[in-house]
Amino acid sequence: MITLDRLVNVLGGYGVRLCGRPEARSAVLRSVAMPDATDRGVTGDVLLAVGASSPAEAVRWAAAAQATAVLVRPAEGGAEQDAAALGDRHGVAVLLADPAVSWSQLAGVVYGLVLESRETASGRGPTDLFALADSLADVIGGAVTIEDRHSRVLAYSRSQQAGDPARLATILGRRVPDGLRERLQRRGVFARLAATDEPVFVPADAEQGLTGRMAVAARAGRELLGSVWVSCAAPLTGERLRALADGARVVALHLLRSRASADLERQVESDLVGRLLEGGADAATSASRLGLAPRAMRVVAVRAFTPDDRHAALLLAFEQATAGFGWSRPGRSALLGDTLYTLLPGEEAETARQWVKDLQAELPAPVRVAAGIGAPAEVTDLPAGRQEADECLALHEGAGPWAPPPAYDESWDEILLLRLRAAARGGRTPARGPVGTLRRHDARHGTRFVATLRAWLESQGDLAWTAERLDVHPNTVRNRLRKMNELTPLDLEDPRQRLAMTIMLAASGDDDRP
C-alpha cells in the first residue's frame, strides 16, 4: 500500500510539487493510468496527463478517469494557483512537474512506486512473493522460504510439507537463526550459492532441527539478490528441480524491482535528512516532506562494524534502519560519511535507546553497534543535535561494548570533560603552572601531590573528607599542602585559581585520582 503522501515525498526530489488539497495526502493509491485516444474508459488512482495542453485539461481528464491525483507537466511556470483551484473544484490532487524532467523518468518513478508498493512485514518484496512461494510449494511438494542475501525472510509458503523446527524458528525470527547460519557457513553453502546458479542440497542436521534443504540463488546478472529454500529430505530432480530454478529467476525479477523502488525512496529520504542536519532556510519544508510532525526530535548517530569489515556493516545498518515504508517506522535516516544518522520524534531518551537496541537485534550476530543520542531539538536546531549525537557517539565508542548509548542531556558533563581532554592533548592547555609543577615533582620523587590537590578541590577544602579519600591522617594532608605551597604558589583562597586548577585537572584525565 502506498499513499499520495509518500508519492509526493519521493517525486519532490524530481521537482514535483502538490498544489493544494493537503487532505488528499492520506489517500491510498493502487493503480496508474495514462490517456488513451482509443480507450475513453481509462481509469486509475494516478493519471499521468501526457499530452495535456494545460493543467485545466489535465484535471478534466483526471475527473473523467476517477483519479485521486493527476501529474501534469505545464509548458510554463505560474500555473500553481490555477491548478490548486481547479483541483479543489473537481476533487483531484494536482501534481505539477518540472518541465525539465522527462515523462519517461516521471512515469518510471510513479509506476515503480505504485505498482511495487505492496511490501511484507519486514519491509521487503511485494506480497506476490508469498503467492509465488505458495505456487512453488504446490509444484515441488515442499515448504518454501524466500530470503534476502543476509538470510532474512522475505516470504514463505503456507504449506508445511516437510516443515521442521528450523523452518519454524526462521519464520518466527524473520531470519535464519545464528546457530544454523554459522553451520551453513562452515559447510560452504553460502559460498556455493554466491558462486553458482546450480541448486545446492543441504543434508539433514538433527542438532539444528533441519530435515534437509534444497537452495538456489536468486541472481540479477552476477549479483546475488537472495535465495529460495525448499524443505526436502533428498535432492530434487526432474521437473521439481526445474521448477525451483525457474522460480528463482522470477524471484530475482521481483527483488530487483522492489530494490529499485526502495533505493529511490532511500535516496530522497537521505537527501532531505542531510539538509535538516546541515541547516538551512527550508528546514520546515524538508521536515514536512519527510512526514515529520513539527515537534521535538532527537538525532541518533550510529556506527556499525564487525571485526573484519566496518563499511559493509554500516550499509547493512542503513538498510535495516530504512526498511519498510516511511509511515511504518518511527525515524528518518541518512548515511553521511561513516555515520548513520536517524531523526526520531519524541523527547524521551529511552525511546531512542530502544530504537538502537531494536536495530542491533535485527543485525547479524557479528555486527556491533555504537550510538550517541542528541538532546531534544526543534527542526531548526537539528544541526546542533547532530553535533551532540556525534560527541555522545565518541563517548559510547570509548565505553564498554554493552554500555547503553549516552544521551547528551544526561551526559553533558562527560562530553565537556572529553572536550577539555581533547584540548589538552592538542597542547592547548598551559604546560607550566601549579598543576604542571606538581605533576613533574610527583614523577621525579614519587610523591602524591596532584592526587592530594585533586582530592582537596573535590572535597571543597574539607580536610577530614580529603584525608578519608586519600586514606591518610588529616595532618598528612596539612603537611602535603604546606610542602606543595613551598614548591609552587598555591593560592587556594582565590576562587578563580581554584576553578582554573580544577579545569586543568579535569582536562588531564583521572590517572592520579585517589
Side-chain angles (χ1 to χ4, degrees), residues 437-438 441-442 447 449 482-489:
T437 300
L438 295 177
H441 188 275
D442 283 350
T447 51
F449 289 167
R482 179 178 54 78
K483 292 178 180 178
M484 290 158 55
N485 201 48
E486 291 172 356
L487 186 65
T488 182

Side-chain angles (χ1 to χ4, degrees), residues 305-328:
F305 55 91
T306 65
D308 302 321
D309 192 340
R310 179 178 292 265
H311 184 66
L314 185 63
L315 291 176
L316 189 58
F318 176 58
E319 182 176 311
Q320 184 58 46
T322 53
F325 287 129
W327 47 258
S328 69

Side-chain angles (χ1 to χ4, degrees), residues 24-145:
R25 282 180 173 268
S26 60
V28 176
L29 308 176
R30 295 184 176 87
S31 58
V32 183
M34 292 180 67
D36 189 340
T38 64
D39 183 2
R40 298 291 182 180
V42 169
T43 60
D45 294 329
V46 182
L47 181 74
L48 306 182
V50 180
S53 59
S54 66
E57 185 176 26
V59 170
R60 287 196 298 273
W61 290 356
Q66 302 175 20
T68 300
V70 59
L71 181 62
V72 59
R73 201 179 62 166
E76 56 187 27
E80 192 162 337
Q81 289 186 344
D82 292 342
L86 287 166
D88 287 339
R89 191 179 311 147
H90 293 275
V92 176
V94 181
L95 306 177
L96 288 184
D98 187 336
V101 182
S102 69
W103 270 117
S104 61
Q105 191 173 15
L106 293 169
V109 173
V110 174
Y111 274 102
L113 287 172
V114 175
L115 301 185
E116 293 294 342
S117 64
R118 295 170 296 172
E119 299 196 356
T120 66
S122 64
R124 285 290 172 272
T127 52
D128 287 350
L129 281 179
F130 283 91
L132 179 56
D134 287 334
S135 299
L136 282 174
D138 292 341
V139 172
I140 296 171
V144 171
T145 57

